[in-house]
Amino acid sequence: MRVISGSARGRPLKAVPGKGTRPTTDKVKEALFSMIGPYFEGGNVLDLFAGTGGLGIEALSRGMDKAIFVDLDYKSVETVKENLKAAGLTGQAEVYKNDAERAIKTLAKRGASFDLVFLDPPYRLKHGDKLMERMDELNLLEDQAILVLEYESSFDYRDNFGRFRMIRKTDYGETGITIYVYEKENENKTESDSMEKEEQSRHGATT
């Protein structure tokens, strides 16, 4: 594994010791960033279930300002720190050992907000969309934030729900990826349109 492009291009990345993690391959990573970037003009990125930290590190290398990495596994946390050091990006990152749900609650209390989020939970967990909805509830997402959900390709998440709209879905062998855009005003606009139509209907009935 390596950093593919940007300021840390070519820097090697270590894998997490053991067989408990499933790092995103360079091939998939390159395809993914060609869809969501390929480069960025600042912003904050959240890498949940960080594993090696490869996705968040790639985002920093390509122009994001700051990244927060979260993983429950101690070996993963130490690997992320080593990879950040190897890429020369330690000063732009925070790394935490924590459960994803507890982590987003803590980040919300700090007033954090993100322009880009990577969610790559273990394949046995099918709650990526629930975590996204929780981030919405906690006001952790900037309008037009991009969320990348990675999962087992035999499973399928909803295309659109709440304020999340699917903009790309693709499979790479056993890996499925869905990219969503967060539209902060989406539900409010829908409710407003509905109320306006109801008002027009009432007005028409009384004239």
Side-chain angles (χ1 to χ4, degrees):
M1 293 183 297
R2 61 189 172 87
V3 181
I4 296 169
S5 190
S7 63
R9 180 179 179 179
R11 301 286 182 91
L13 301 176
K14 293 183 177 180
V16 179
K19 299 181 179 180
T21 61
R22 174 184 34 79
T24 303
T25 66
D26 284 357
K27 179 181 178 181
V28 173
K29 188 162 60 174
E30 189 163 14
L32 169 60
F33 278 90
S34 71
M35 290 185 277
I36 65 172
Y39 300 99
F40 309 101
E41 296 181 1
N44 298 321
V45 56
L46 174 62
D47 193 349
L48 283 175
F49 309 98
T52 65
L55 293 175
I57 289 172
E58 189 73 34
L60 286 175
S61 179
R62 291 173 183 251
M64 298 298 284
D65 291 321
K66 185 176 180 180
I68 292 180
F69 299 83
V70 177
D71 204 289
L72 189 56
D73 181 68
Y74 173 78
K75 291 180 181 178
S76 290
V77 168
E78 292 304 304
T79 300
V80 172
K81 291 178 180 178
E82 290 179 24
N83 285 336
L84 282 165
K85 186 176 180 180
L89 296 169
T90 300
Q92 294 174 249
E94 299 175 26
V95 187
Y96 298 104
K97 181 184 180 299
N98 207 342
D99 169 81
E101 293 187 44
R102 288 198 298 268
I104 60 177
K105 288 180 185 177
T106 301
L107 291 169
K109 289 178 182 178
R110 287 174 43 183
S113 63
F114 299 96
D115 306 278
L116 176 61
V117 179
F118 296 109
L119 299 104
D120 185 12
Y123 282 171
R124 70 179 183 279
L125 301 178
K126 314 293 185 186
H127 67 329
D129 53 349
K130 302 302 181 186
L131 288 172
M132 290 167 59
E133 289 175 327
R134 188 66 177 134
M135 282 186 269
D136 174 26
E137 292 169 5
L138 293 170
N139 201 31
L140 277 171
L141 302 171
E142 294 288 342
D143 187 35
Q144 301 302 305
I146 297 296
L147 297 96
V148 179
L149 184 55
E150 192 170 331
Y151 49 91
E152 190 173 19
S153 57
S154 60
F155 183 75
D156 199 20
Y157 280 102
R158 294 172 286 171
D159 288 350
N160 305 294
F161 55 96
R163 294 184 172 95
F164 300 97
R165 179 172 59 86
M166 185 271 290
I167 57 175
R168 189 73 178 265
K169 179 180 288 189
T170 187
D171 291 343
Y172 299 93
E174 67 174 12
T175 300
I177 289 177
T178 299
I179 301 171
Y180 295 92
V181 62
Y182 174 71
E183 298 177 328
K184 202 162 191 173
E185 304 304 320
N186 187 22
E187 285 189 345
N188 293 338
K189 185 177 186 304
T190 301
E191 291 172 7
S192 176
D193 289 348
S194 177
M195 290 173 63
E196 185 177 344
K197 287 179 181 178
E198 186 177 339
E199 181 65 28
Q200 289 173 349
S201 177
R202 285 203 302 268
H203 180 73
T206 57
T207 56

